[in-house]
Amino acid sequence: MATAVASAHDAGAQPRPRLRHSAALAPNGLEPVMKTLHELEEALAAPSDGLIRDMRALDGDLVVLGAGGKLGPSLVSLAVRAIERAGTGATVYAVSRYGSAASREAIERTGAQIVSADLSDDRALDDLPDAANVVFLVGAKFGSTGAEAATWATNAYLPGRVAQRYAGSRIAALSTGNVYPLVPVAGGGSREGDPLGPVGDYAMSCLGRERVLTHLAGTTQTPASLIRLNYAVEMRYGVLVDIAREIMAGRPVDVTTGFANVVWQGYANEVVLRSLLHADVPPFVLNLTGPETISIRQVASQLAERMGREVEFTGEEAPTALLANAARCHGMFGYPALTLDQLIAATADWVAAGGETLGKPTKFQQRDGKF
């Protein structure tokens, strides 16, 4: 896959036409309208024809484990709508501890069946509803430094217990591009068959998740897909939000980690769901990210221009970064509906207007694996 590097907007460029509805389906060259939380949620929950077709081909109910996390609510909402459009009558079970009333209410609005459970409790795990299809979103990253044992328990031991509970079902498990080493920025990113080289306990424990699921897939004949995601973005969270918030606060943007991959969260959710049809023994492995290697310096310049702000930089670009090549993903599922320029524009407008954010930085700048 050719590597494209983001570039700043040309000076004096004319404003682009704007869409009024369905940002997730915005064609290239049109700026999506995601000014409110409702518009953002609608964009994230808009299923593509490909997803609807795949959900029609997928037999049985769906259990989403970790539905209350960052990705869960939008993935659950997308799954419910796609299944409704597919007309299969399948039930979507949304499983989480639901530590807050707000997270539970957000899921309830999707129409999914709420299941409140602590997956670390073996009895609660055993009592979960049966389903032919399982999406595993549970993971521990932030705060893993100093809590390494708990991180391994969540990221490596728990997936094994889930695979035992749902032996014989299809399992799509979210992994991370952090299982790869830092690679030269001009190389196009790591491919699925390249050597792995996780840095730090978080990344190593995620590789542990993959190894355990691969072992149990073989011993119990449980088809699985392992999705190496980095980095999903929407207007409340992600690399672009992290950069935009630095600009708004008047802080210099660190470009030591000078390059990254990003992908629209709605597309990421679609690929995770569609990967269920490709679950296999041994597991189907897929990199999930956008088609570009983005320059943090150039993206920050675009964000600042759109926001009407000045931007300053600190550091110098290192020759390596955490980068993945998602050519296989794009060949199978197409390209994300929203382009990098569209994501930059929408993020700049959202942050400049004081839109709600999740307050969870990605820490994509970390090069030592300590989160």
Side-chain angles (χ1 to χ4, degrees):
M1 180 181 70
T3 301
V5 178
S7 59
H9 289 300
D10 294 333
Q14 295 298 311
R16 295 171 177 166
R18 304 180 70 82
L19 289 182
R20 300 307 304 170
H21 302 290
S22 192
L25 303 179
N28 291 351
L30 296 179
E31 290 180 5
V33 174
M34 289 182 281
K35 301 293 188 182
T36 67
L37 183 58
H38 173 72
E39 289 173 337
L40 173 59
E41 290 176 341
E42 287 296 302
L44 288 166
S48 69
D49 292 341
L51 176 61
I52 295 167
R53 182 175 59 250
D54 283 0
M55 290 299 98
R56 190 173 293 126
L58 199 66
D59 60 292
D61 294 336
L62 170 66
V63 166
V64 180
L65 305 177
K70 294 190 303 293
L71 281 62
S74 59
L75 184 143
V76 168
S77 183
L78 179 66
V80 169
R81 293 196 184 190
I83 287 171
E84 287 176 349
R85 294 278 300 276
T88 66
T91 299
V92 178
Y93 297 98
V95 182
S96 175
R97 287 179 295 182
Y98 295 110
S100 70
S103 64
R104 184 184 180 101
E105 290 168 2
I107 296 291
E108 286 177 336
R109 288 195 299 268
T110 69
Q113 293 292 311
I114 296 290
V115 180
S116 183
D118 181 352
L119 299 183
S120 65
D121 183 333
D122 284 347
R123 185 174 301 175
L125 185 60
D126 291 341
D127 289 342
L128 292 178
D130 294 333
N133 306 288
V134 179
V135 171
F136 184 79
L137 302 178
V138 182
K141 178 176 182 179
F142 305 117
S144 56
T145 299
E148 289 81 3
T151 298
W152 278 85
T154 299
N155 291 345
Y157 172 73
L158 179 58
R161 291 287 296 116
V162 167
Q164 290 172 327
R165 165 62 183 85
Y166 285 102
S169 298
R170 303 181 192 90
I171 300 177
L174 198 63
S175 186
T176 173
N178 287 82
V179 298
Y180 295 115
L182 301 178
V183 295
V185 298
S190 298
R191 293 178 176 268
E192 288 86 352
D194 287 352
L196 303 179
V199 178
D201 274 270
Y202 164 68
M204 288 190 290
S205 67
C206 290
L207 179 55
R209 174 194 298 142
E210 293 192 11
R211 298 299 197 221
V212 168
L213 287 174
T214 299
H215 170 70
L216 288 170
T219 58
T220 65
Q221 292 302 295
T222 298
S225 60
L226 304 174
I227 308 301
R228 294 170 178 166
L229 171 65
N230 65 302
Y231 286 95
V233 300
E234 47 123 305
M235 280 61 262
R236 296 167 295 179
Y237 170 83
V239 170
L240 302 182
V241 172
D242 292 348
I243 298 170
R245 285 173 61 84
E246 292 293 278
I247 294 168
M248 281 295 291
R251 294 188 291 264
V253 174
D254 189 344
V255 294
T256 305
T257 297
F259 299 88
N261 301 128
V262 301
V263 65
W264 165 236
Q265 179 66 64
Y267 177 81
N269 289 340
E270 288 223 359
V271 170
V272 171
L273 291 168
R274 296 182 71 180
S275 77
L276 285 164
L277 278 180
H278 301 272
D280 204 353
V281 180
F284 167 69
V285 178
L286 189 71
N287 290 344
L288 171 52
T289 194
E292 304 95 350
T293 293
I294 69 168
S295 160
I296 301 303
R297 186 184 296 271
Q298 292 181 3
V299 165
S301 297
Q302 285 183 249
L303 286 165
E305 179 183 353
R306 178 84 179 196
M307 297 162 71
R309 296 270 177 161
E310 298 295 324
V311 60
E312 296 181 359
F313 299 98
T314 184
E316 292 293 333
E317 286 86 345
T320 59
L322 180 69
L323 299 169
N325 185 313
R328 184 183 190 188
C329 178
H330 302 143
M332 295 180 67
F333 302 112
Y335 287 96
L338 295 186
T339 67
L340 178 62
D341 279 349
Q342 291 168 341
L343 292 170
I344 289 171
T347 302
D349 292 349
W350 185 277
V351 174
E356 171 191 337
T357 60
L358 299 183
K360 296 179 179 179
T362 60
K363 299 187 179 181
F364 75 94
Q365 307 93 333
Q366 294 295 109
R367 302 178 62 83
D368 58 5
K370 295 181 179 179
F371 299 101

